[in-house]
Amino acid sequence: MGCVLAVVFSVAGCRKQEDPPNAGAVRVLVSYATFRPGCLTLTVTDVDEPSRTETADIRMEPSARSDVRTVAILGREGWSRNLRLTATAHERSCNGPVVARHEVTTQVPTVGTAAVELDLRALDLDDDGYVSSEGTFPGSDCNDDDPAIHPGATELCDGVDNNCVNGEADAPGGATYYRDADGDGFGDPTALPNLSCTPPAGYVLEAGDCNDQDPDIHPRQAELVCDGKDDDCDGFTDNDPFDVGTQCQTEQNCAGFKQCASTALTACVSSETPREWFQDEDGDGEAGTSLGLWCASPSQGAVEDNTDCDDSSRFVSNAATEVCDRLDNDCDGQVDEDQTGCDTEAWTTTNATPASITWDTVAAYAGNKGWLAGRDGRVAHVDGETITLVADCPGEWNASWVTSAGRVFLGSGAGTFTTRLPTDTGPCVDVAGPVSISINGMVGFEDGNRVALYAVDSQGRILRWNYEEGAPEQAAPEQLVELGGNLRSIDGTSPLTLFAAGAEEQGGTSHPVVWRGPTEDGGAWQKESLGNVGVPGFLRAIRVLSPSHVYAGGDGGLFLERAGTTWSVKPAVTLPSGNAADIRGLVAFSSKALYAVSSGTNHIHFFGGTAWSHATNPSPSSQMNALSGTGPADVWAAGQSGALVRWRP
């Protein structure tokens, strides 16, 4: 062995080359069958020194599907005799996939010729030039039984992968389908799509499913539950309709962000600390009614400073000056301090003549002036200590109200109205109401030269008379609504804060009733819930300090307070004997300054916030039927024997 070989290829059909001296040769027979190789190669490698290798193409007969090619290998200088021979067949061209390979080892003889056979096997049964994709060395033909199916063929939407690439995806009319594992109609965009003319089982046309394991999660739906998941796959968690993370305001006007409060609800959560706010409810310019805790103003005019210790009274605030009126006007915790003689200030009595006069209604206005009216057509104007009777004013006058200029409006037991100024000298002029039913109470509101007068009658009607001073013709009184029952009194601080009181019959018994008027134009009257008041009968007087401070009194000494929106029973008015007295009239200037007159006693009663006491000194000599006043230091009472009793310290 010691000799050195040179390797030279000799392929059958080529010119025979001269053998190197003193060297043998290897004759290689390369056979193939059942396919047409696009390229045949033979690689010779020196087993003892693998870096020595040479490859050569083997020429073939293009029309032959089976053939044997002969290659001669001669010795070459520097090579060993131990060789590895590798025959390789490629599909279509030398750049095509390897579809067959056979490898053997042999030894070049020192003399003579050794024969080696290399057999290459591949299948191209349909003879389309593409080898079957099955086997150890697969080709690119995905269907070796059909010569029309192979790479490069025209793809059709016929249920067949004609060109062996991506199914039918590249066929005209084909589409991309996405796996839909949870069956909700939307595919997984992260999974490998399927390109096909028809939807494969478990695939859909539309992707976008952000959780293909949950059928309740998919695009084009609202967020289902507030759970930290993106139910509609829009890239946002718990948005519409929950809108988690969006800016919001709490019920206390605090800026915050929405958070899940349950699977169905969100809550606005804020880091701000609410503060107490106050509003001016009694109209004195100072705020004292708490609106609760808020981060920002809860209503127009609300402030953070409490400057009114009694927001039920326009006569009390931190900015007011103390006067003699039984109130702590300046909010210093003392009543009538430094008001010398205030506690002994007497009530004065002025009697009209004749003594048979009975006053059933009184209406005071500025400057110690007022009007009195009652039975048997008695009407009088009061100017200081002078009481001037109206000569001709027939009627049983039950109700009155007076403007700031002294124009009085009267309502009669026959359902008629009349009105006059102190300067009028002629007889009263009757104005017919909508019905001939007793008018029992009235209140009015001035707006320039116009007055809106509201009245109630014994059949539960609310009446309105729009009167314009100086107009050549006046509108007639009209009925607004019929509530039923028997209404005795009406009051309010504006047309939108009206309350009416009386009684309604239930099972043959009269029971107290209060109605609240509309709080906006076009609204309806609403019956108030009084709860169990404990006694039957009528409420005969109602007084409104503000919508949150309303007082009503009636039969059996019943005295009610509306604080906020809730009615409660307060201490009853009683006679000296301890028995309950029927309240006939009521005026209110504060939750701590109310006056009442009642049956069975000549006293005028005073309520200071906790209990009733006798206010008059001395007591009237006759029974009082009605009350009025322009303020807590100007209180009027009128009744039998033509008596007018006043407290004006």
Side-chain angles (χ1 to χ4, degrees):
M1 289 293 186
C3 66
V4 179
L5 298 179
V7 181
V8 176
F9 290 110
S10 175
V11 181
C14 297
R15 180 177 59 84
K16 186 177 183 304
Q17 300 184 25
E18 297 296 331
D19 292 341
N22 301 317
V26 177
R27 186 164 65 96
V28 182
L29 300 177
V30 180
S31 63
Y32 63 90
T34 65
F35 75 108
R36 291 185 176 89
C39 174
L40 280 178
T41 61
L42 178 64
T43 300
V44 180
T45 303
D46 187 340
V47 174
D48 294 346
E49 182 52 61
S51 63
R52 299 188 185 108
T53 182
E54 288 190 8
T55 299
D57 293 336
I58 302 175
R59 288 188 292 273
M60 301 168 296
E61 175 58 44
S63 61
R65 282 173 50 82
S66 299
D67 199 359
V68 178
R69 310 301 290 173
T70 302
V71 180
I73 299 176
L74 305 177
R76 173 173 284 190
E77 185 73 23
W79 285 55
S80 75
R81 290 194 178 93
N82 299 316
L83 303 178
R84 181 184 300 113
L85 308 179
T86 304
T88 303
H90 293 257
E91 183 184 80
R92 304 288 291 177
S93 71
C94 292
N95 295 322
V98 174
V99 294
R101 178 183 287 130
H102 192 187
E103 184 176 274
V104 298
T105 56
T106 187
Q107 193 175 65
V108 179
T110 55
V111 294
T113 301
V116 175
E117 294 183 357
L118 293 172
D119 188 20
L120 300 175
R121 296 291 174 176
L123 294 177
D124 180 12
L125 300 179
D126 55 10
D127 196 21
D128 58 3
Y130 295 89
V131 172
S132 170
S133 59
E134 299 178 356
T136 305
F137 296 98
S140 58
D141 196 341
C142 56
N143 186 343
D144 202 35
D145 295 325
D146 189 336
I149 298 176
H150 55 75
T154 300
E155 190 63 52
L156 304 173
C157 273
D158 56 1
V160 175
D161 183 6
N162 304 96
N163 62 5
C164 298
V165 178
N166 292 331
E168 294 180 305
D170 51 345
T176 302
Y177 292 89
Y178 300 87
R179 185 183 64 190
D180 180 16
D182 56 15
D184 61 8
F186 295 87
D188 182 358
T190 65
L192 186 66
N194 187 301
L195 308 176
S196 177
C197 290
T198 57
Y203 282 75
V204 293
L205 272 173
E206 188 168 357
D209 197 337
C210 54
N211 185 345
D212 205 33
Q213 303 303 311
D214 189 337
D216 291 329
I217 297 178
H218 56 75
R220 290 206 299 276
Q221 66 175 359
E223 290 288 290
L224 299 177
V225 293
C226 204
D227 57 358
K229 296 180 181 178
D230 180 13
D231 298 316
D232 57 3
C233 296
D234 64 354
F236 300 96
T237 299
D238 296 331
N239 54 329
D240 183 38
F242 302 109
D243 297 328
V244 168
T246 60
Q247 292 182 340
C248 60
Q249 277 197 327
T250 68
E251 293 181 353
Q252 296 170 300
N253 284 358
C254 301
F257 295 90
K258 287 189 177 181
Q259 296 181 12
C260 291
S262 70
T263 58
L265 297 173
T266 57
C268 188
V269 178
S270 174
S271 60
E272 289 190 74
T273 300
R275 306 172 302 280
E276 189 170 14
W277 291 76
F278 302 88
Q279 71 177 5
D280 174 22
E281 194 167 85
D282 57 18
D284 61 5
E286 302 295 329
T289 297
S290 177
L291 299 175
L293 299 176
W294 304 83
C295 291
S297 176
S299 63
Q300 185 176 2
V303 296
E304 294 184 65
D305 294 325
N306 182 354
T307 57
D308 196 338
C309 62
D310 183 358
D311 208 33
S312 70
S313 175
R314 59 189 176 90
F315 303 98
V316 177
S317 74
N318 293 16
T321 301
E322 193 71 21
V323 296
C324 179
D325 61 359
R326 295 191 175 95
L327 286 173
D328 178 15
N329 306 98
D330 56 6
C331 291
D332 66 353
Q334 302 179 72
V335 175
D336 297 339
E337 74 275 13
D338 302 325
Q339 302 297 310
T340 304
C342 182
D343 55 346
T344 60
E345 186 71 35
W347 292 66
T348 62
T349 301
T350 305
N351 291 94
T353 56
S356 61
I357 292 175
T358 296
W359 302 124
D360 288 321
T361 182
V362 57
Y365 67 99
N368 197 17
K369 297 179 181 181
W371 288 90
L372 298 166
R375 305 167 198 176
D376 303 319
R378 299 295 189 178
V379 175
H381 180 255
V382 180
D383 187 351
E385 299 302 316
T386 303
I387 299 178
T388 304
L389 293 175
V390 176
D392 188 2
C393 201
E396 302 296 320
W397 303 110
N398 301 327
S400 64
W401 181 81
V402 65
T403 69
S404 58
R407 175 174 287 281
V408 70
F409 292 84
L410 300 175
S412 78
T416 61
F417 295 84
T418 193
T419 180
R420 64 188 296 120
L421 288 167
T423 55
D424 290 342
T425 58
C428 293
V429 177
D430 273 357
V431 177
V435 291
S436 299
I437 301 298
S438 177
I439 297 170
N440 302 318
M442 60 175 59
V443 65
F445 305 99
E446 296 181 70
D447 182 11
N449 64 341
R450 294 183 177 89
V451 170
L453 186 77
Y454 293 83
V456 293
D457 72 14
S458 294
Q459 289 188 350
R461 295 180 180 86
I462 307 294
L463 312 175
R464 183 176 62 192
W465 187 11
N466 290 321
Y467 186 91
E468 184 174 356
E469 192 70 44
E473 293 185 8
Q474 299 293 344
E478 59 180 337
Q479 175 179 313
L480 293 183
V481 65
E482 184 173 351
L483 302 175
N486 188 332
L487 298 179
R488 312 301 294 183
S489 182
I490 186 170
D491 196 33
T493 59
S494 77
L496 298 181
T497 60
L498 289 171
F499 287 81
E504 59 182 358
E505 188 172 303
Q506 297 177 7
T509 302
S510 295
H511 291 272
V513 66
V514 173
W515 291 83
R516 177 170 184 171
T519 57
E520 58 184 17
D521 292 338
W525 285 76
Q526 302 292 330
K527 185 188 293 186
E528 294 277 280
S529 175
L530 302 181
N532 183 11
V533 299
V535 294
F538 279 79
L539 289 172
R540 299 184 181 274
I542 191 162
R543 292 294 176 261
V544 180
L545 294 172
S546 73
S548 299
H549 295 91
V550 184
Y551 296 88
D555 295 345
L558 180 62
F559 180 48
L560 301 177
E561 177 186 53
R562 186 184 198 259
T565 59
T566 303
W567 288 90
S568 61
V569 178
K570 307 300 285 185
V573 174
T574 59
L575 300 172
S577 63
N579 295 327
D582 295 336
I583 297 175
R584 296 174 180 269
L586 188 69
V587 289
F589 305 107
S590 161
S591 61
K592 299 176 182 178
L594 294 99
Y595 294 85
V597 292
S598 65
S599 64
T601 179
N602 297 345
H603 291 296
I604 297 174
H605 311 276
F606 176 76
F607 184 76
T610 57
W612 290 97
S613 62
H614 293 160
T616 47
N617 176 29
S619 296
S621 59
S622 57
Q623 184 172 292
M624 298 291 100
N625 299 328
L627 280 168
S628 182
T630 61
D634 183 29
V635 184
W636 295 39
Q640 296 179 2
S641 302
L644 170 64
V645 180
R646 287 172 284 184
W647 189 61
R648 304 186 75 252

